[in-house]
Amino acid sequence: GAGVSQSPRYKVAKRGQDVALRCDPISGHVSLFWYQQALGQGPEFLTYFQNEAQLDKSGLPSDRFFAERPEGSVSTLKIQRTQQEDSAVYLCASSHQGGPYEQYFGPGTRLTVT
Amino acid sequence: GESVGLHLPTLSVQEGDNSIINCAYSNSASDYFIWYKQESGKGPQFIIDIRSNMDKRQGQRVTVLLNKTVKHLSLQIAATQPGDSAVYFCPGVGKSTFGDGTTLTVKP
């Protein structure tokens, strides 16, 4: 079966541009997570959805970051007015039950802001 | 809140040897623990999990040990292979705080 997919895999943005990163979770998975991973570091939690409800967005670093999952399946992470410090790999994960239990990760989107 | 930490940032072993990666946690109420492996250029991959009502769980070539008394868990990999070279994480529950992981390098 298909795993979690993310697109694009690579994105180069000029500073100040807006970007949208897409995540297609495993079909039927209730929970969806977004993480930010800087080079050489572990994933840092950004936000968590259970179905279409965003239950936790405490990890979003600023109000330039916005995530949605309007129909409880596909999710989009949007970053407005990108800054160089936003350069990182953005990982999406899904889980078939609520809470941070076994998560299935996508390959990530590598964002480079120039 | 929960904090987890891996004892060593890097571990280098000879192919065929056994590897032990350690992790400590602070929240004694934690009831579930997971180990993930992340290879270069990929997302983390689930390896094995354990609930707090167990002290040991075995998978294929991997064993996780949980010591609730000292709030410590370890991942043991038997007969380590080059394909085991990766970064290993033991995130806490709640917000899945991953920490920076332990980088395992397997020397041929």
Side-chain angles (χ1 to χ4, degrees):
Chain A
V4 177
S5 61
Q6 293 185 245
S7 60
R9 289 294 314 278
Y10 304 90
K11 177 69 179 178
V12 179
K14 292 189 188 306
R15 190 173 57 182
Q17 283 185 331
D18 297 349
V19 297
L21 312 180
R22 176 187 169 107
C23 172
D24 284 81
I26 293 173
S27 178
H29 275 196
V30 168
S31 299
L32 186 144
F33 302 81
W34 283 99
Y35 296 87
Q36 180 189 60
Q37 186 172 27
L39 188 64
Q41 297 181 18
E44 291 282 344
F45 170 83
L46 293 177
T47 187
Y48 160 58
F49 291 86
Q50 189 163 325
N51 296 306
E52 69 278 3
Q54 189 174 19
L55 298 187
D56 189 341
K57 55 181 181 179
S58 62
L60 296 176
S62 77
D63 58 7
R64 296 186 296 104
F65 286 71
F66 173 75
E68 60 183 5
R69 194 186 185 197
E71 297 178 357
S73 55
V74 171
S75 177
T76 303
L77 176 67
K78 298 179 180 178
I79 309 173
Q80 297 177 322
R81 304 181 304 280
T82 52
Q83 304 294 315
Q84 283 192 316
E85 60 263 28
D86 300 334
S87 296
V89 174
Y90 291 85
L91 293 163
C92 174
S94 68
S95 173
H96 64 81
Q97 57 182 309
Y101 295 101
E102 179 184 344
Q103 297 176 36
Y104 296 82
F105 281 81
T109 294
R110 180 176 296 279
L111 173 65
T112 303
V113 181
T114 61
Chain B
E2 175 73 32
S3 68
V4 293
L6 292 162
H7 292 178
L8 292 173
T10 62
L11 177 64
S12 182
V13 301
Q14 204 70 36
E15 181 179 358
D17 286 352
N18 297 333
S19 304
I20 300 177
I21 302 172
N22 297 300
C23 187
Y25 62 96
S26 61
N27 186 353
S28 57
S30 297
D31 62 354
Y32 183 71
F33 304 89
I34 309 176
W35 281 96
Y36 287 94
K37 167 187 178 182
Q38 186 175 27
E39 297 174 83
S40 182
K42 299 182 180 179
Q45 178 185 11
F46 171 86
I47 302 173
I48 192 168
D49 59 2
I50 188 168
R51 293 194 178 273
S52 59
N53 60 354
M54 305 171 68
D55 54 16
K56 179 179 180 179
R57 190 168 188 206
Q58 288 186 291
Q60 187 177 15
R61 282 200 306 116
V62 294
T63 301
V64 57
L65 299 178
L66 175 63
N67 185 329
K68 294 181 286 293
T69 302
V70 295
K71 291 183 282 190
H72 176 273
L73 66 159
S74 65
L75 178 71
Q76 301 180 357
I77 305 173
T80 315
Q81 302 170 0
D84 296 325
S85 293
V87 182
Y88 290 80
F89 298 100
C90 60
V93 296
K95 294 182 180 179
S96 300
T97 305
F98 276 70
D100 289 339
T102 289
T103 300
L104 175 65
T105 302
V106 182
K107 296 177 289 185

